[in-house]
Amino acid sequence: MMDQLELAGLHRIGSGDPQKRERYSFDFVVNGISLFEATQALEYDLCGCLSDPQFEPEVARRMNRTTIAQLTSGAPVRGHRVALFVCPECGDLACGAITARVSHEEARVQWSDFAYENGHDAASKLALGPFAFEWAAYTGVIERSRTD
């Protein structure tokens, strides 16, 4: 049985501090469970790797195309690591990110080996997954964040 993926809106409330801007992104919800909550991404002050084009069209236009490719057509059989939750200011791994190995084989894609990474320290593995998604349904969900 394949896992089910959905996108849900994430809203990071800004403040007067220029280092804490308001952001609109997406959470990945697998089988009804928020990965934002399951990975404790809020504790790291992260946001989703896909910007919500309804609220942040310029950011989504700049960033989503690359991320969508990494999550879909760019995912090799052996897989590669993709940041799912990133720094809301710059998206840089050095600020910390929740990542997963994304691999694509035939009619399915798998997310596995979840971890918190910051590019400096050893990755902290998270007890989550693996998840396997049916390819057509998965790409339909991910494409929802496309702007072009």
Side-chain angles (χ1 to χ4, degrees), residues 18-50:
Q19 295 298 315
K20 190 162 178 158
R21 289 182 268 183
E22 183 173 41
R23 290 286 185 235
Y24 292 90
S25 63
F26 289 110
D27 184 4
F28 299 99
V29 179
V30 178
N31 303 327
I33 297 170
S34 160
L35 293 189
F36 188 76
E37 291 177 12
T39 62
Q40 299 179 334
L42 179 62
E43 291 186 24
Y44 298 106
D45 191 25
L46 302 177
C47 69
C49 64
L50 295 170

Side-chain angles (χ1 to χ4, degrees), residues 36 44 68 74 91 94 96 105 124:
F36 188 76
Y44 298 106
I68 290 168
E105 188 173 350
S124 300

Side-chain angles (χ1 to χ4, degrees), residues 17 20 35 39 41 48 51 60-61 65 74 80 84 94 101 109 115:
D17 180 352
K20 190 162 178 158
L35 293 189
T39 62
S51 292
R61 201 173 348 276
R65 177 180 287 163
H80 59 189
L84 301 178
R101 177 168 300 287
V109 65

Side-chain angles (χ1 to χ4, degrees), residues 3 8 14 21 101 107 114 117-118 121:
D3 294 295
R21 289 182 268 183
R101 177 168 300 287
F114 287 80
E117 297 185 62
N118 63 19
D121 303 314

